Every structure is written in C-alpha cells, then in structure tokens.
Amino acid sequence: MLKFNFFSLRGLPWGSSTDSEEKVVLTAVELESLRSDLADLEEKEAHLKAQLEHVDEILRSARLSGYLYIRTRWKPLPGEPPPLDDTDVDDWLPRFVVLQGPCIFFYLFSTDLSPQDSTLLSDIVEIGPLPSVTRDNEGTQYAFYILTIQGLRFECSSASKVQVDSWLSALQTDCKLGGSDATTAPNGACEM
C-alpha cells in the first residue's frame, strides 16, 4: 500500500527566503520519487473511479442486488446415497449477488469489476425456502436455495427475512418466464 503524506516531508531540507516564506529544497531524485508517487496515486484514483462507475451501473440496471451468504452443494447423481446432514458445517461465504437481465451474478465484493460466477435464469429448475439457521455471533439467518439444471444448488442466507422474501419473490417471478427474452453470450454464459 502506498503511503504518502504531504504534510510531513521528513528528511527534506528546508530553506528560508528573504521574504519570510519557507521553501523546500528537493534533489532531482526526491523530485522524481514524488512524481512517481503522484503518478501511482492518479492511477489508483482512475481504478477506484472505474469501480465506482461499475457499481453505479449495476445498481441502476439490476432488478435486485445485495450481500447474501452463499454456499454451494451438488445434487446427488442417480444411485448415489443422499448427502450427509451438513447443517453444522459453517461454510457460508458473503457474496454480492446481482439479479440482472437473464442472469444471477455472484461477486466477491460489490466493487469487483467482474463476477466470480453466474447462472442463467433459464438454467434454474427449482427455487424454495430453507429452514432458518442460528449461527454463532450472527443470530438467525433466513435461507433459500436455487437449483440449476446442472445439479448445482446455491444455498443463500441473510439475517433479513425481508431480503430473503424479496429474492424468493423476484426469482420465482423471473424464472417463470423461462428466460424467453434472455440474451446469452455465444458460449451460453451470462455477460455483464
């Protein structure tokens, strides 16, 4: 991380002019270092501005977005034994989830420029509530699941029952459309 403090330029020689103004005397190396630091800060500012514009675009165009705790499970294949009860396994990870157009996007953070994962709404075959869970230090978590045609089950939770109900309602409404107006990338994946 770049640390730069304009108000404490330690080690720089100070000189005084005759008109009682204090001046900093810099060597060519120190001046070049300051220019380099300034260029780094400008680059960082441009990156942060791009992130902010991306978040703004997502929030304006998304049907629904917000942080949810997510974990994934695979549906057992035919002939496999049923999955073990893993309700005590705390593998829930916070993700910024966006329902936009024909897809659900899963971001690590709301400021990320690209999603970690995505699912087409047309690939969702089942949506439903899960029993609420009480986790240490987080109180009651209300939950729901999304099952895809590939057998991937996204389990989603939030401390807000209103948020979970909003996601369930929006997904049930949008998935009834069957993705008839969905536009996908040539490889069948979701695009931002």
Side-chain angles (χ1 to χ4, degrees):
M1 179 177 208
L2 177 65
K3 288 188 176 182
F4 190 76
N5 189 344
F6 286 102
F7 301 107
S8 65
L9 299 172
R10 281 176 282 200
L12 297 178
W14 288 85
S16 294
S17 69
T18 57
D19 55 359
S20 73
E21 289 182 16
E22 293 185 2
K23 294 184 179 181
V24 176
V25 179
L26 298 174
T27 66
V29 172
E30 291 169 330
L31 183 59
E32 189 55 39
S33 175
L34 287 174
R35 285 182 179 150
S36 174
D37 290 347
L38 188 57
D40 290 344
L41 289 171
E42 287 171 346
E43 183 179 327
K44 178 75 173 172
E45 179 187 30
H47 178 73
L48 291 173
K49 186 177 178 184
Q51 284 181 314
L52 183 59
E53 288 171 356
H54 178 70
V55 169
D56 185 54
E57 178 186 334
I58 286 175
L59 294 176
R60 288 178 190 268
S61 62
R63 173 148 157 58
L64 193 59
S65 63
Y67 277 96
L68 294 171
Y69 284 92
I70 306 288
R71 68 180 186 176
T72 55
R73 299 289 184 263
W74 287 98
K75 183 178 175 183
L77 295 171
E80 283 187 332
L84 298 173
D85 179 18
D86 62 357
T87 53
D88 292 336
V89 177
D90 189 12
D91 57 349
W92 297 88
L93 300 172
R95 295 290 180 260
F96 188 72
V97 185
V98 177
L99 176 58
Q100 182 179 25
C103 298
I104 301 174
F105 297 97
F106 299 91
Y107 294 86
L108 185 59
F109 300 106
S110 62
T111 55
D112 289 349
L113 296 177
S114 7
Q116 285 191 319
D117 199 2
S118 62
T119 297
L120 285 166
L121 295 179
S122 59
D123 285 349
I124 295 174
V125 294
E126 194 176 320
I127 302 162
L130 289 171
S132 59
V133 179
T134 302
R135 291 200 299 258
D136 297 337
N137 302 328
E138 294 178 25
T140 301
Q141 293 283 311
Y142 302 93
F144 66 97
Y145 70 92
I146 302 165
L147 181 63
T148 67
I149 197 165
Q150 296 86 4
L152 183 59
R153 177 177 158 132
F154 293 96
E155 296 181 356
C156 311
S157 74
S158 171
S160 168
K161 182 165 179 17
V162 171
Q163 185 181 22
V164 167
D165 290 344
S166 295
W167 277 98
L168 276 170
S169 175
L171 288 169
Q172 288 167 344
T173 300
D174 288 4
C175 290
K176 282 182 185 173
L177 299 173
S180 59
D181 62 340
T183 56
T184 59
N187 63 359
C190 294
E191 284 189 332
M192 275 305 288

